[in-house]
Amino acid sequence: MRLVIALAVLALPLPAAAQTASQDETVVVQGRLEKLSHWREAETDHVVVISDGSEAELRRIAHNLERLHFLLSVLLGRVDQPDEARKLRVTLVGDSSEFDAMDLRNLRLAPGPYRSGFDVQGYYDPREDGPVLAATRYDSRIQLERGTSLASVLPDLIRATSGGAPDPTANDAGLSQHLAGPVGTRAGFAQKADPFAVNVNQVSVPVAAEGRIYAAFARNWLLTHFPNAYPRWYVDGFGELFATIEVKADGQIAYGRAPEGYWQVLDRVRAWPVKDVLAGKYLDARRDDSRWTPFHAWALAHMLFFDEARRPQLRNYLAAIAAGTDPAKAAEAFGDLDQLQRDLAAWDNRKMPYERMTYPAARAAEPMVRQLTQGEAAFVKGRLELGSRIALPVPQPDADAEAIVHTERARQRAIAERDAWLAELRRDAARYPANLQAQLLLAEAECRTGNAAGCRAAAERAMKIDANSSDARAWRGSALLAEALAAPAAERTARLKAARAEIARANRADPENPLPLIAYYRSFAEAGEAPPDVAIEGLMKVVDTVPTAPGPRLLLGEALVRRGNLAAARRALLPIAYGAYDSAERSRARALIETGTAG
């Protein structure tokens, strides 16, 4: 059951040479000695992975992600196609408590909603300057049945074997360690290293950390290279299909295998009717009543991918969704949905298919690895936290009075938390005045929170470190733009000209950087001026470079509407208006489409 339509003879490029940073304790950075950290960065043609774990683990994951990129390109007919997309930046953080401490919130792309206990840690943000992904490096478990607590039976067991009362000192270090098991296991609720907390006959299934990384990568790949409106179950399921890839030393990749624990989950978690999944009704279920899990997403996607008769129906269904058709109406592409339900129920009663292919090794070269300095490492987590910290809750257009009050309270809490985070970031950046990443992060945070003076100051410090930094000039230009818009009318024209000149210099420093292109367009739109053709063409390039970012898409859709190009505006807006995941830009995009403004 091959999904590969055609694979022509491939012109194989020379492999990139593997490279490892010096293991010395210090390196020279900008003419100064700086100590190395325990963080490393691995880069391939299509992904950058940062980790505080072992170099071997980092190399394996980065290499496998590059292999997965090639596999997906083969399966969906994109081998040797132009690829302007920014690289996905993946950050692998330690254990679950360390990950939780960052308090990352998925504001634009959150899989599920899944049944309680199945929300495995992960963070994804399709940002304007490129998508970022974060995940823990440690495996976890999902508990399906608690079983009987050993704490309740151990006193009787000790009494029976000792012939007397329980001896509280009988539990020596060896027994304690044996009963406690590994610390940090996640099973749908917090588990502590209590020597008497082990359950007998407990039923749980493992969740591989690498599988979560591969699933998230596959979702990003789909939304990047085929940016359409998709139903959420499909994007979730697409990712799960590739969560279980297996890479062999001989160059073979297998995908589509059932995840470990698949039958145990489906036996114990009652599934949603398939018609309710296709129509999106499961999205409105209460969390404590939800029956949707990554395993169910895998099951539906797997059948529709591998069943020869159903695959054309899936294509027709997805095409209807992409055109803006109501999901329930689009589901008619599958014919009799009761029969589809029966087929799905019977799908795992036989040996389920999976696929193997051999990849040319030169198509997924070994990553280049370097060790981060302590200054660079100090802002790895801050870069991730930026998206969650600066976003503020906004009331929905149809919200009632109670919801508006609730949102305003949440907004005030978010402002206080944001300001505290910003104050800490300012202190940290002051400790590293010659650190480029520190000043760029602070400049972005200041600009995005409306502090133009602070943004310009941080950007100018970054320019002293690297005068050719496109990002530094882009943020300085953005700060100058904000100051120009707030200036008296008599000064505004000259200040706008100065801001655009700085933005243009940022663009010349790196023509592929989306930040200057966005800032240049905004310099006209926010000033109430008609953007010239070159500004709109720049937005189009941004959308090609970061297809998953909703902000630039909305700007482009609005610009095309104003120019009367309604069909093109609709195409730009559909992925955020009716796509798989919510974002702050969704309501505006829908308004443009549903009111008929965009066709």
Side-chain angles (χ1 to χ4, degrees):
M1 297 185 180
R2 293 218 166 262
L3 300 183
V4 181
I5 299 175
L7 180 59
V9 177
L10 303 177
L12 301 180
L14 292 175
Q19 177 180 320
T20 305
S22 169
Q23 299 303 308
D24 293 341
E25 291 184 358
T26 60
V27 294
V28 178
V29 180
Q30 299 291 329
R32 299 174 308 279
L33 287 177
E34 190 166 342
K35 290 185 177 180
L36 294 174
S37 73
H38 60 284
W39 286 83
R40 292 179 176 84
E41 175 184 277
E43 184 169 4
T44 69
D45 287 343
H46 300 97
V47 68
V48 176
V49 185
I50 304 170
S51 174
D52 61 350
S54 70
E55 181 176 343
E57 177 189 64
L58 173 66
R59 283 184 173 279
R60 182 184 68 254
I61 293 174
H63 200 184
N64 284 351
L65 289 175
E66 188 63 28
R67 290 160 168 153
L68 179 53
H69 181 279
F70 178 70
L71 170 64
L72 291 166
S73 299
V74 171
L75 297 181
L76 280 83
R78 280 198 50 85
V79 175
D80 291 333
Q81 294 296 310
D83 190 351
E84 300 178 356
R86 302 276 281 190
K87 294 181 182 182
L88 175 67
R89 293 186 65 84
V90 180
T91 303
L92 306 181
V93 183
D95 60 22
S96 59
S97 60
E98 187 178 357
F99 192 95
D100 286 341
M102 290 189 291
D103 190 27
L104 301 175
R105 291 169 290 149
N106 285 298
L107 301 175
R108 294 187 179 92
L109 192 155
Y114 291 133
R115 180 184 177 91
S116 179
F118 285 82
D119 291 323
V120 179
Q121 291 169 312
Y123 173 73
Y124 176 82
D125 190 3
R127 299 178 181 178
E128 292 179 351
D129 58 344
V132 297
L133 167 68
T136 176
R137 295 187 290 102
Y138 288 86
D139 296 345
S140 58
R141 298 191 72 85
I142 295 172
Q143 182 173 285
L144 301 175
E145 293 181 5
R146 286 181 177 272
T148 303
S149 172
L150 189 58
S152 64
V153 300
L154 189 58
D156 292 336
L157 177 62
I158 295 174
R159 183 182 298 110
T161 56
S162 64
D167 180 359
T169 65
N171 180 37
D172 61 18
L175 176 62
S176 176
Q177 183 178 6
H178 172 72
L179 295 178
V183 178
T185 302
R186 301 182 79 237
F189 60 93
Q191 289 189 342
K192 299 179 180 179
D194 180 351
F196 304 109
V198 177
N199 290 339
V200 179
N201 297 324
Q202 174 181 291
V203 178
S204 62
V205 295
V207 177
E210 286 191 34
R212 298 300 85 216
I213 298 165
Y214 301 145
F217 180 90
R219 291 193 296 266
N220 176 77
W221 191 96
L222 174 68
L223 297 175
T224 295
H225 296 291
F226 294 91
N228 295 312
Y230 294 105
R232 190 180 302 182
W233 74 262
Y234 173 75
V235 181
D236 289 352
F238 184 89
E240 296 307 318
L241 278 179
F242 299 96
T244 56
I245 61 166
E246 295 179 358
V247 181
K248 303 293 186 182
D250 61 0
Q252 266 197 2
I253 305 180
Y255 69 95
R257 291 183 184 274
E260 188 175 356
Y262 168 76
W263 284 273
Q264 292 156 294
V265 173
L266 265 65
D267 283 347
R268 289 169 173 82
V269 180
R270 183 165 55 97
W272 275 95
V274 70
K275 63 181 180 181
D276 290 344
V277 174
L278 297 176
K281 292 183 179 180
Y282 77 99
L283 297 173
D284 299 324
R286 299 192 317 274
R287 180 178 171 82
D288 58 356
D289 186 44
S290 177
R291 291 161 269 163
W292 187 244
T293 74
F295 296 82
H296 291 85
W298 181 93
L300 182 55
H302 187 272
M303 185 192 77
L304 296 177
F305 261 75
F306 282 89
D307 188 299
E308 295 282 0
R310 293 292 185 183
R311 200 179 309 140
Q313 296 176 339
L314 174 62
R315 285 197 294 267
N316 293 336
Y317 164 79
L318 293 177
I321 294 288
T325 304
D326 178 77
K329 178 70 175 176
E332 294 177 3
F334 294 106
D336 184 349
L337 296 182
D338 291 334
Q339 183 59 50
L340 179 63
Q341 181 75 60
R342 290 190 289 271
D343 291 348
L344 179 60
W347 183 250
D348 58 7
N349 290 335
R350 52 187 170 177
K351 186 176 181 180
M352 289 185 291
Y354 66 93
E355 187 66 33
R356 286 181 297 190
M357 66 166 285
T358 300
Y359 72 94
R363 286 288 180 162
E366 285 278 349
M368 295 191 298
V369 178
R370 73 180 183 93
Q371 217 165 336
L372 300 186
T373 66
Q374 289 185 356
E376 290 175 313
F379 296 92
V380 166
K381 292 181 180 179
R383 179 65 184 155
L384 288 173
E385 294 170 343
L386 176 67
S388 295
R389 295 298 185 275
I390 65 175
L392 300 178
V394 294
Q396 296 301 311
D398 56 350
D400 57 25
E402 182 178 354
I404 292 174
V405 171
H406 177 76
T407 301
E408 181 56 28
R409 290 174 179 167
R411 180 181 176 84
Q412 293 305 317
R413 288 195 299 270
I415 289 174
E417 292 171 358
R418 180 200 67 186
D419 291 348
W421 180 82
L422 263 173
E424 184 176 356
L425 176 60
R426 290 171 184 140
R427 288 192 296 270
D428 289 343
R431 291 172 53 210
Y432 295 93
N435 183 306
L436 178 64
Q437 295 307 315
Q439 304 311 318
L440 288 178
L441 177 60
L442 180 58
E444 180 174 0
E446 301 284 20
C447 258
R448 293 195 184 280
T449 54
N451 183 3
C455 176
R456 180 160 53 85
E460 289 171 353
R461 288 193 295 271
M463 289 170 60
K464 289 179 180 179
I465 302 168
D466 182 0
N468 295 318
S469 170
S470 176
D471 282 1
R473 290 194 176 275
W475 290 121
R476 184 173 187 272
S478 297
L480 292 175
L481 171 60
E483 291 174 341
L485 294 175
E491 302 176 15
R492 197 174 189 193
T493 299
R495 285 183 172 234
L496 282 172
K497 184 177 180 180
R500 288 172 185 148
E502 184 67 358
I503 293 167
R505 286 190 284 269
N507 174 250
R508 288 195 294 272
D510 181 1
E512 304 303 315
N513 187 351
L515 294 178
L517 298 174
I518 296 170
Y520 187 68
Y521 172 83
R522 285 177 170 155
S523 74
F524 294 95
E526 294 178 8
E529 302 175 14
D533 289 347
V534 67
I536 295 179
E537 290 167 3
L539 269 187
M540 292 177 177
K541 181 177 178 63
V542 171
V543 170
D544 288 340
T545 304
V546 283
T548 58
R553 277 191 175 277
L554 182 59
L555 291 176
L556 179 59
E558 291 173 335
L560 293 172
V561 165
R562 283 193 292 269
R563 290 203 163 196
N565 193 343
L566 306 182
R570 180 180 175 85
R571 288 194 298 272
L573 294 169
L574 274 172
I576 53 175
Y578 299 104
Y581 303 103
D582 292 331
S583 69
E585 295 81 3
R586 180 182 289 256
S587 59
R588 173 62 178 160
R590 283 189 174 180
L592 285 169
I593 292 176
E594 292 175 355
T595 59
T597 307

